[in-house]
Amino acid sequence: MKRCRRLLSALLALLLLSGGSVSVPSSILAAAASDAVSESAAESGEESAASSISLTVSIFENVGRRWLLSPTQLSVPDGTGLGSLLSVLNQYAFLEDVRMDGSEILSITDEDGDVFPANPSVGNNWIMVVNGIEYPGEEGLTPPAAFSDGDTVQLVYESGGTAETDLSAVSTPDRTLSSATGSLPWEDSYEYALTTGSSWLRANVQTPFALTVLGACGVTVDHRYLTQVLREISEDTSPSGTQLAQDILAVTFSGISAENFSGRDLIAEMLPYPDLGRIESILGLIAYDSNQYEIPTDALNSRSAMLNVIMAGQNEDGGIAQVQGEESSVILTAFALISLAPYRDDATVGPCIEKALQWLAGEMGEDCLFSDQQLPSCTATGAVILALSSLSVPLTDERFTVGDQNLLTALMQFYNEGTGFSERTGRDPDAEATGMALLALESQRTGRNPLV
């Protein structure tokens, strides 16, 4: 409870930053460039503009040869340095405590309470490795004051002078973030649709799904929006299986561990949830993998149990249905592929994915559109794009192109200029279509699945 209260307090404080401070994406709600809080800015709902960068961060200690933080991708404000990065990890319970003197690390306490102090006199030191360059290193080599987009930042704790900064021999948990190759050019029109669509969603929809989408796309929300959605999740103590999975995603993409939210462990609530069906298992597995939550292998709803439920819905044609034998669904098949993507090297999962991909390719219509209920659908088309991104299948793949048309040009047919996306062409924007389109666009902008 104490940690949870601290997390929520920090969360709200960061969202009340004054206009001269760095704005905080809801995807990680990163450490601020200033500690100043301005109530007037909060009351007026003003937001300062700031771009974000993506870092891959890990912390390793060589004595026990273990990860204090396995390689994890974070979205943080541009200008983030070591101190503010560690502040993020501390505030959101990746670490229990961090102590620094200027730019030097004095000690780090991991989430289990183990303390790793720097004490050069006995050979205990903290080493930072940025893109393979070690700091402190050769004379005159100073660490960067701020990290750059795409940097890999490793912190290594050496004890007794026996550091090993080469981590290639260490078994790393599977946190691979799929990145498609041969991707389509990212055009200004896509960027404009992503920006205006995010603004429309934020202004018109306050749900866990919308919060997840905005967080996954690195879009800032004000404290009233965040508080409203999180309060609704907190007060719903008996959610359905589908809603519980959506709540886990929303909390996670607000920068809070779903294992410690308002005194509740949402992951623990999912583990024994009875009678999860196909949709619940798909969303549940995506939720588990959104932050690589540790799941007991003997749990009722373990990862393997959910995988079995998902694959059991595959029809002979390769598509996935809510009830095996019923008509395969494009949207359900696409979301199944998103959930199965991290396990595609498994001997059982791999063939299931290939059959589903072949079926999807056969379902594509004219102008590369996918349909739901026999009508061209923004949600279906966006879901297929996100599935392909999750599997590192480029949109230039000949199975998913028709002449000069591709899935991105197809998706843009549902865009309402300056606002959001509609489920059917020519209609007003709606929440589900806009959210799905934004995730699809973000996956192509970054070359990865934004729900990881």
Side-chain angles (χ1 to χ4, degrees):
M1 287 293 291
K2 181 179 179 182
R3 176 182 289 179
C4 187
R5 286 195 299 269
R6 184 188 68 194
L7 290 177
L8 291 177
S9 296
L11 196 71
L12 293 177
L14 286 170
L15 285 168
L16 293 170
L17 290 172
S18 65
S21 302
V22 177
S23 66
V24 185
S26 61
S27 56
I28 191 65
L29 296 173
S34 167
D35 292 328
V37 175
S38 169
E39 293 184 2
S40 61
E43 292 171 356
S44 65
E46 294 177 356
E47 297 173 9
S48 55
S51 58
S52 63
I53 61 173
S54 179
L55 303 177
T56 301
V57 184
S58 63
I59 305 177
F60 184 77
E61 66 95 2
N62 71 300
V63 179
R65 301 287 293 164
R66 65 188 180 97
W67 299 101
L68 306 186
L69 174 67
S70 58
T72 304
Q73 192 170 70
L74 301 178
S75 177
V76 298
D78 193 5
T80 292
L82 177 60
S84 53
L85 175 61
L86 288 175
S87 178
V88 172
L89 299 177
N90 179 37
Q91 288 167 347
Y92 300 104
F94 289 103
L95 302 173
E96 181 67 27
D97 187 47
V98 175
R99 298 184 183 276
M100 298 188 69
D101 181 9
S103 62
E104 294 185 7
I105 301 173
L106 299 181
S107 70
I108 289 179
T109 304
D110 69 9
E111 61 182 355
D112 296 323
D114 295 330
V115 183
F116 299 88
N119 189 347
S121 64
V122 295
N124 295 348
N125 297 293
W126 277 102
I127 294 171
M128 180 170 69
V129 183
V130 181
N131 302 328
I133 301 176
E134 182 178 319
Y135 304 95
E138 299 177 1
E139 186 176 352
L141 188 62
T142 59
F147 301 117
S148 300
D149 187 44
D151 279 353
T152 297
V153 183
Q154 299 170 324
L155 297 179
V156 182
Y157 183 71
E158 63 170 347
S159 180
T162 58
E164 287 189 42
T165 55
D166 180 5
L167 309 183
S168 59
V170 180
S171 177
T172 306
D174 184 10
R175 288 203 179 196
T176 302
L177 300 172
S178 299
S179 179
T181 57
S183 58
L184 295 168
W186 182 251
E187 299 179 2
D188 290 343
S189 60
Y190 304 148
E191 185 69 36
Y192 180 68
L194 183 60
T195 301
T196 57
S198 297
S199 297
W200 181 90
L201 189 68
R202 180 177 55 191
N204 292 277
V205 186
Q206 293 187 2
T207 63
F209 172 67
L211 184 58
T212 297
V213 171
L214 294 171
C217 294
V219 177
T220 303
V221 298
D222 65 32
H223 72 284
R224 287 179 295 273
Y225 186 113
L226 184 68
T227 302
Q228 176 64 30
V229 177
L230 294 183
R231 181 185 294 120
E232 290 177 1
I233 295 174
S234 178
E235 292 175 350
D236 184 6
T237 56
S238 300
S240 66
T242 299
Q243 189 60 57
L244 180 56
Q246 292 179 342
D247 290 347
I248 291 172
L249 285 166
V251 168
T252 298
F253 281 96
S254 296
I256 305 172
S257 171
E259 296 172 313
N260 191 5
F261 170 68
S262 292
R264 293 171 60 189
D265 185 340
L266 301 181
I267 299 297
E269 292 179 25
M270 176 66 81
L271 296 179
Y273 203 100
D275 304 321
L276 291 185
R278 203 90 60 219
I279 294 174
E280 295 91 342
S281 295
I282 288 171
L283 292 177
L285 191 57
I286 292 173
Y288 284 170
D289 291 336
S290 66
N291 197 31
Q292 288 293 302
Y293 290 109
E294 293 186 12
I295 306 301
T297 57
D298 59 352
L300 175 65
N301 297 315
S302 64
R303 281 185 166 90
S304 60
M306 287 183 169
L307 284 168
N308 289 333
V309 171
I310 296 166
M311 291 189 295
Q314 188 164 44
N315 288 324
E316 286 296 322
D317 61 14
I320 305 291
Q322 175 65 358
V323 177
Q324 189 183 45
E326 294 184 353
E327 185 178 359
S328 298
S329 162
V330 169
I331 294 176
L332 198 61
T333 301
F335 268 90
L337 287 173
I338 296 165
S339 68
L340 296 175
Y343 311 93
R344 60 186 177 274
D345 292 334
D346 181 89
T348 302
V349 177
C352 175
I353 288 175
E354 287 305 315
K355 286 182 62 178
L357 277 175
Q358 290 300 327
W359 179 79
L360 277 180
E363 290 298 302
M364 190 175 70
E366 296 180 2
D367 297 330
C368 298
L369 292 169
F370 282 87
S371 296
D372 179 51
Q373 299 179 357
Q374 300 182 337
L375 291 172
S377 163
C378 177
T379 301
T381 304
V384 172
I385 292 174
L386 184 57
L388 296 180
S389 298
S390 302
L391 291 164
S392 299
V393 177
L395 299 194
T396 54
D397 189 301
E398 62 181 10
R399 293 173 295 178
F400 298 98
T401 58
V402 178
D404 294 334
Q405 299 297 314
N406 57 67
L407 288 176
L408 275 183
T409 57
L411 184 68
M412 291 298 291
Q413 294 183 40
F414 300 97
Y415 176 58
N416 288 260
E417 186 71 19
T419 57
F421 288 75
S422 57
E423 176 62 5
R424 312 294 183 198
T425 56
R427 298 186 182 179
D428 292 335
D430 65 79
E432 183 176 324
T434 299
M436 196 66 251
L438 293 177
L439 290 174
L441 288 171
E442 180 69 7
S443 76
Q444 288 300 299
R445 185 182 72 85
T446 61
R448 63 178 183 85
N449 176 7
L451 292 177
V452 177

